[in-house]
Amino acid sequence: MPAMAPVSRRLRSWLAVVRPRWVLASVVTAATIAACSGTTNSGPGPGSTATGDACTSSAQCYPDVDAGALAGQVTCLTQLQNGYCTHTCQSDADCCQVAGECPFALPEVCAPFESSGQQYCFLGCDATQIASVDAGTTDPTTYCQRWANATFTCRSTGGGSANQKFCGP
């Protein structure tokens, strides 16, 4: 037994040095995982729909969908705060036509954006659209904050006579 005593002292000495580092590494790792586990949309709802995700370039949009199969060109509307992933469209039918594009089957609208002359898919928030799904609310702002992003409201696309309501910053 006397031969074991030096090993125990060395082990205790080693643990005294390593344990605090291991605990710190574990805390940092857990904090990093927690910080990185959210979606880009950061909404409190069940997750992100690709339309409306934050972006700085179109390459960041629709990561889980074959972008080439979408009905229009993938676009990041950088003029909206934090960017807004979308794609061009001709009608509402062009939105959500590819598997995985709209994972929660929430209604999207094809509408002109501001004075760009181009139509894009947006997460719609008109009262009739909200009523068409079991969204847990009938209030447009609550709907947008629950299903799109905690900072979004139900606002106008600003597209003139073909204007639509959408969840946006």
Side-chain angles (χ1 to χ4, degrees):
M1 284 291 188
M4 294 296 284
V7 172
S8 295
R9 277 192 297 265
R10 276 188 267 158
L11 181 60
R12 281 193 301 270
S13 176
W14 181 79
L15 284 174
V17 171
V18 173
R19 185 179 298 148
R21 292 179 185 164
W22 180 83
V23 170
L24 177 61
S26 298
V27 169
V28 169
T29 301
T32 302
I33 290 170
C36 295
S37 65
T39 64
T40 54
N41 249 8
S42 71
S48 167
T49 61
T51 301
D53 280 354
C55 57
T56 55
S57 74
S58 58
Q60 297 170 321
C61 301
Y62 301 96
D64 299 327
V65 177
D66 176 8
L70 296 172
Q73 181 178 352
V74 174
T75 304
C76 175
L77 297 176
T78 56
Q79 58 270 55
L80 289 171
Q81 182 180 355
N82 297 321
Y84 189 98
C85 285
T86 185
H87 64 83
T88 58
C89 56
Q90 299 300 312
S91 72
D92 291 353
D94 291 341
C95 305
C96 299
Q97 77 173 25
V98 175
E101 180 181 356
C102 301
F104 303 107
L106 299 172
E108 291 191 9
V109 296
C110 178
F113 181 64
E114 296 177 345
S115 58
S116 70
Q118 186 63 258
Q119 294 195 130
Y120 299 98
C121 291
F122 297 97
L123 178 60
C125 57
D126 182 83
T128 57
Q129 294 160 335
I130 294 172
S132 73
V133 294
D134 182 15
T137 184
T138 56
D139 177 67
T141 297
T142 301
Y143 172 81
C144 291
Q145 291 172 351
R146 182 176 294 161
W147 293 99
N149 184 300
T151 64
F152 281 9
T153 62
C154 185
R155 59 166 278 192
S156 167
T157 60
S161 62
N163 193 32
Q164 295 272 349
K165 297 263 188 182
F166 82 106
C167 294

